[in-house]
Amino acid sequence: MTAMTPACQLLERQSENYRDWLWVAPPPDAWFSDQTGPLWSTDLSIAQAWRARGATVYDDLAPSIGEVPGAVLFWPKAHALGEWWLLALCAQLPAGTRLQVVGENQGGIRRVLKVLAALGLGCRKLDNARRCTLFETQVGRVSLAPDDAWTVFEALDLRLVSHPGIFGHGKLDSGTALLLANLPRSLKLAGANVLDVGCGDGVISAWLARHDAQVTAVDSSAFAVEATRRTLVANGLNGRVHQSDVYSALPEGERFGAIISNPPFHQERAVDRGPASRLIREAPEHLEKGGYLIVVANAFLPYPDLFDAAFGGFEILADDRRFRVYMARKR
């Protein structure tokens, strides 16, 4: 199939046939249906799509991959995340494995030259088109390890473990702070079964668990799942954490007294309101009678209509002009 994304369009015009190459953190693109080789991605939806067509998929943070003819890394918009991927590839693939790195110019792909030089790896430019650039290097042994990317910071009297691959890396998001500061008094957390959707670094889950809630946390990103697990452990707290496409990994029939979320609405640079829309639309199916859905979102996002359709009404708990905290209750 014809490539749709600029990076894949650049790859499509290469003389390399990429047979059995490893595809690392690629975007969704129908062009891959004609390609062979395994996938390494921490994004659940992409991993599921590749599995559905019979591809070998690696979806954890340190898989045993073995030898491949080469690998193609799709450079992310977060520079530090791109560095992590390079370190992870150097840790998982044999030295000397061919490695191509492709990305959009406005996404910072040209920084790869300096990053590879700092790691002691050579690099050459292969092509430049569709406002993208393609570089090639070889995997080698480097002095840094992928785990060096993990950091710890403190907020709300919690120790939060963070990674460049998660939303709001290394700081407390203003929207999350507004959400937690405005939870209603009518929400009784002690002993309540509470779901955190889009758990990120685990700040919401840890805050809820510290207030004696029985917490379940879900996120589509393997980075977020690992970060939330580490955050709970760092604070001596308990909770269940699952990689999930919104509600997909939850046991059938399980209901919650509250669903609390700061849902994402970006996929790299593109706006993607799909997960947040599903979060609101399907929430009544996962709430106990009288249960709450409480969501913080950028004020400009068109969520009121979704709340009205799903719950027949809603309240605004807080609005600082940048963020808005919505609450709806299942009748």
Side-chain angles (χ1 to χ4, degrees):
M1 292 188 179
T2 302
M4 301 299 295
T5 57
C8 289
Q9 289 172 347
L10 179 56
L11 293 172
E12 187 177 39
R13 66 187 231 154
Q14 304 306 306
S15 59
E16 182 69 58
N17 65 18
Y18 295 112
R19 182 176 178 82
D20 297 331
W21 279 45
L22 174 68
W23 303 98
V24 184
D29 197 306
W31 179 72
F32 291 113
S33 64
D34 296 327
Q35 309 305 312
T36 62
L39 166 78
W40 186 7
S41 175
T42 59
D43 184 284
L44 180 60
S45 62
I46 292 176
Q48 289 176 332
W50 282 59
R51 280 198 180 97
R53 63 179 181 84
T56 298
V57 173
Y58 304 103
D59 58 3
D60 57 54
L61 304 187
S64 298
I65 297 173
E67 293 188 8
V68 290
V72 179
L73 168 62
F74 290 79
W75 192 254
K77 71 173 184 178
H79 178 58
L81 177 57
E83 292 181 344
W84 181 88
W85 276 115
L86 288 174
L87 295 176
L89 286 163
C90 286
Q92 300 301 324
L93 297 181
T97 302
R98 292 176 63 191
L99 172 61
Q100 293 185 3
V101 186
V102 64
E104 297 185 33
N105 296 335
Q106 66 177 5
I109 182 62
R110 294 189 181 97
R111 296 178 182 176
V112 169
L113 291 170
K114 290 184 178 180
V115 175
L116 290 172
L119 293 174
L121 303 175
C123 181
R124 65 189 181 103
K125 185 168 112 175
L126 293 181
D127 202 357
N128 188 356
R130 310 294 192 271
R131 297 181 180 177
C132 295
T133 304
L134 176 64
F135 296 101
E136 179 161 305
T137 183
Q138 289 186 351
V139 170
R141 300 282 75 87
V142 296
S143 59
L144 299 175
D147 263 0
D148 294 337
W150 290 93
T151 58
V152 178
F153 68 101
E154 296 189 3
L156 305 178
D157 296 324
L158 293 165
R159 286 173 55 82
L160 303 175
V161 183
S162 188
H163 187 278
I166 63 174
F167 169 75
H169 171 49
K171 64 181 185 299
L172 177 64
D173 174 69
S174 299
T176 298
L178 185 70
L179 168 69
L180 293 175
N182 287 278
L183 293 179
R185 293 183 179 180
S186 57
L187 179 63
K188 306 301 182 183
L189 292 175
N193 197 19
V194 182
L195 176 65
D196 173 12
V197 177
C199 54
D201 60 19
V203 57
I204 293 176
S205 292
W207 192 94
L208 294 169
R210 191 178 63 183
H211 287 78
D212 299 321
Q214 302 298 308
V215 175
T216 299
V218 296
D219 201 294
S220 64
S221 166
F223 294 121
V225 168
E226 180 63 18
T228 295
R229 287 173 176 158
R230 293 190 185 200
T231 288
L232 290 171
V233 170
N235 292 278
L237 300 168
N238 296 316
R240 297 182 300 161
V241 190
H242 305 290
Q243 190 175 17
S244 179
D245 182 8
V246 191
Y247 303 111
S248 66
L250 298 177
E252 185 176 354
E254 183 171 14
R255 299 292 182 267
F256 298 90
I259 300 171
I260 300 176
S261 179
N262 181 356
F265 67 96
H266 278 108
Q267 179 68 28
E268 287 289 322
R269 284 177 294 280
V271 174
D272 180 8
R273 294 193 293 268
S277 297
R278 287 183 53 208
L279 164 70
I280 299 168
R281 186 174 64 252
E282 300 174 16
E285 302 172 26
H286 300 277
L287 286 170
E288 301 168 355
K289 185 177 181 180
Y292 295 92
L293 172 64
I294 304 175
V295 172
V296 64
N298 290 71
F300 69 85
L301 292 170
Y303 291 163
D305 289 346
L306 292 171
F307 274 97
D308 278 334
F311 290 92
F314 63 92
E315 298 178 47
I316 296 177
L317 301 180
D319 188 341
D320 66 1
R321 297 188 178 183
R322 183 183 176 195
F323 297 103
R324 189 176 292 159
V325 180
Y326 299 92
M327 181 181 74
R329 192 175 188 186
K330 181 178 179 180
R331 302 299 178 184

